[in-house]
């Protein structure tokens, strides 16, 4: 049985219903992207949910920012997304001081933990811009 979740970004079907997502790989990717794109405090009932990217985007020390973003993303995924086993977080240098950060999150679905790594690999790349805009690329 396929579990359906609300599709992101939120949209309506031509008949006026809510679009849904049934692909488990895409569902986990939506969760990872939403977690990285959410600032702590934005969710009223989950005040600690998210990654504090906005406070770091204009810091001049890119190495420090990259390490802090890496640590924050890894901690948030471990805490909030049990469906994903984190393999690596890669912060792309070169654009942090410009008010954007490109974060590659390499993970596998928890239920694929015993699958050979080359078959279970997912990389979700999100470029965060000031104001919370997220450009997303998923390679699976």
């Amino acid at each position: 049985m396929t579990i359906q979740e609300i599709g992101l970004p939120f949209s309506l079907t031509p008949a006026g219903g809510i679009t849904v997502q049934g692909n488990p790989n895409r569902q986990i990717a939506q969760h990872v992207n939403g977690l990285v794109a959410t600032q702590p405090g934005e969710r009223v009932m989950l005040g600690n949910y998210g990654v504090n990217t906005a406070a770091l985007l204009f810091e001049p020390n890119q190495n420090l920012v990259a390490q802090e973003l890496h640590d924050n993303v890894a901690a948030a995924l471990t805490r909030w997304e049990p469906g994903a086993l984190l393999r690596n977080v890669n912060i792309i240098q070169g654009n942090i001081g410009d008010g954007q950060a490109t974060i590659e999150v390499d993970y596998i679905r928890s239920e694929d933990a015993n699958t050979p790594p080359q078959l279970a690999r997912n990389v979700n790349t999100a470029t965060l811009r000031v104001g919370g805009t997220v450009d997303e690329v998923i390679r699976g």
Side-chain angles (χ1 to χ4, degrees):
M1 180 174 86
T2 302
I3 297 174
Q4 300 288 320
E5 293 184 0
I6 293 175
L8 297 176
F10 181 83
S11 62
L12 299 176
T13 66
I18 298 172
T19 58
V20 294
Q21 181 56 253
N23 180 318
N25 289 325
R26 184 67 187 136
Q27 290 172 345
I28 294 292
Q30 287 181 169
H31 299 174
V32 170
N33 190 48
L35 178 61
V36 172
T38 300
Q39 297 297 303
E42 286 184 343
R43 292 199 177 174
V44 176
M45 300 302 286
L46 296 171
N48 294 326
Y49 181 88
V51 178
N52 192 12
T53 55
L56 300 171
L57 290 180
F58 289 104
E59 289 293 324
N61 185 339
Q62 288 192 12
N63 291 330
L64 178 66
V65 170
Q67 184 61 51
E68 192 157 340
L69 279 173
H70 175 279
D71 295 347
N72 289 347
V73 169
L77 277 171
T78 300
R79 179 173 183 192
W80 296 107
E81 188 43 60
L85 294 176
L86 183 64
R87 299 168 105 196
N88 188 36
V89 176
N90 184 29
I91 309 301
I92 308 298
Q93 293 283 352
N95 61 4
I96 293 173
D98 296 331
Q100 70 180 32
T102 300
I103 303 168
E104 288 184 347
V105 182
D106 182 359
Y107 63 92
I108 60 172
R109 287 183 26 221
S110 297
E111 57 194 52
D112 290 338
N114 295 322
T115 302
Q118 65 275 17
L119 299 177
R121 181 184 165 105
N122 287 291
V123 177
N124 189 8
T125 301
T127 300
L128 290 93
R129 302 183 192 285
V130 176
T133 304
V134 176
D135 300 327
E136 178 187 24
V137 176
I138 300 171
R139 297 185 305 257

